[in-house]
Amino acid sequence: MPGTTSPFTDIARSRRSPRRFLPTALSSSDIRGVLEDAQTAPSNSNTQPWTVHVVSGAARDALAKDLLRAEEEGRTSSDFTDGYGEEGVYVERSRALGASVYRARGVERSDQGGRRAAVRENLEFYGAPHAAFLFMPALGDGVRTAGDIGMYAQNFLLSLAARGLAGIPQTILGVYADTVREFLDVPAELKLLFGISFGMADPAAPVNTLRTERVPLQRSVVLHDTPGVLDRP
């Protein structure tokens, strides 16, 4: 009902992106439930353009080894550009997050070895027992399709949270698109946007205590003839 707080609000506001998982595999019913929830995502003209590959067990371990080898050999192969520019609010926010993550891990800015180890943990899915790879067809400039994939991913992440599970979207996995495509036998016409590592967050990991802030509504929302919404901070 209007004005009431639904469980969805609690789930959306409490969801976090852990960077250390327990190795315990999820049940097949939980994984199917998450995939079914994600499948209900809206999409432009109901095109449902996502193709999702999930790896677990031996496949997950073997792919992680391939990704680490690609990183060692410098074999990057992004399907999309990345970065947030040289200056401005977006790169500032990105740098602030990076500093917070390293601080939570106890890694100093000057510790190049520690920083690289942190990056490589990305490629080992932060210890998560499962990883989903979100592919999309190359349609037009890709913007609308990528938006659809984003809505799918949000359903996926909130479904995990609703079940007491956790996931983290990782754009770095898309930096090694060719490695992932080759391992999963995915055709070249499907582009890798990003991956989601998922499982149960490790409650004892210090890095999982990290909490990121969101900018106030007033910095993201412009209202027109909609009084009263932004009157309070």
Side-chain angles (χ1 to χ4, degrees):
M1 294 180 61
T4 61
T5 300
S6 70
F8 170 80
T9 299
D10 296 334
I11 293 166
R13 298 187 184 195
S14 63
R15 192 204 66 78
R16 299 288 183 270
S17 293
R19 289 173 173 78
R20 176 51 49 189
F21 289 83
L22 298 174
T24 310
L26 303 185
S27 69
S28 58
S29 61
D30 271 335
I31 294 174
R32 182 179 176 95
V34 169
L35 292 170
E36 288 178 336
D37 289 345
Q39 195 76 4
T40 67
S43 59
N44 283 283
S45 299
N46 196 32
T47 48
Q48 304 175 58
W50 41 79
T51 297
V52 181
H53 285 241
V54 176
V55 294
S56 310
R60 172 244 183 254
D61 296 345
L63 178 52
K65 288 182 180 178
D66 281 5
L67 289 168
L68 291 172
R69 189 176 305 113
E71 188 272 343
E72 291 169 359
E73 297 172 356
R75 290 187 285 108
T76 58
S77 49
S78 297
D79 289 330
F80 303 96
T81 57
D82 58 9
Y84 307 101
E86 295 300 319
E87 58 183 18
V89 65
Y90 306 117
V91 71
E92 290 172 2
R93 291 173 187 168
S94 173
R95 288 170 178 164
L97 172 64
S100 297
V101 170
Y102 289 130
R103 189 162 49 248
R105 291 172 52 90
V107 176
E108 298 292 336
R109 184 175 180 81
S110 59
D111 182 359
Q112 295 300 319
R115 291 166 68 90
R116 185 184 177 201
V119 169
R120 286 171 63 82
E121 284 191 14
N122 271 273
L123 305 179
E124 295 179 295
F125 314 121
Y126 292 119
H130 313 283
F133 293 85
L134 280 58
F135 293 91
M136 53 176 272
L139 301 174
D141 64 5
V143 173
R144 289 178 184 270
T145 313
D148 294 337
I149 303 301
M151 290 187 279
Y152 178 98
Q154 181 70 330
N155 269 21
F156 192 107
L157 293 166
L158 292 179
S159 179
L160 286 168
R163 298 164 193 275
L165 307 173
I168 177 171
Q170 296 171 262
T171 53
I172 193 173
L173 298 177
V175 172
Y176 300 92
D178 285 346
T179 299
V180 176
R181 257 193 302 270
E182 180 178 357
F183 184 89
L184 299 176
D185 194 24
V186 173
E189 56 264 32
L190 288 181
K191 306 305 179 185
L192 178 58
L193 195 56
F194 59 92
I196 298 175
S197 296
F198 64 100
M200 291 186 286
D202 182 350
V207 71
N208 285 347
T209 63
L210 176 66
R211 298 290 180 267
T212 55
E213 299 294 329
R214 296 294 185 268
V215 299
L217 285 178
Q218 289 83 349
R219 294 177 62 183
S220 300
V221 179
V222 178
L223 300 176
H224 303 266
D225 290 335
T226 313
V229 177
L230 301 180
D231 289 351
R232 58 186 172 82

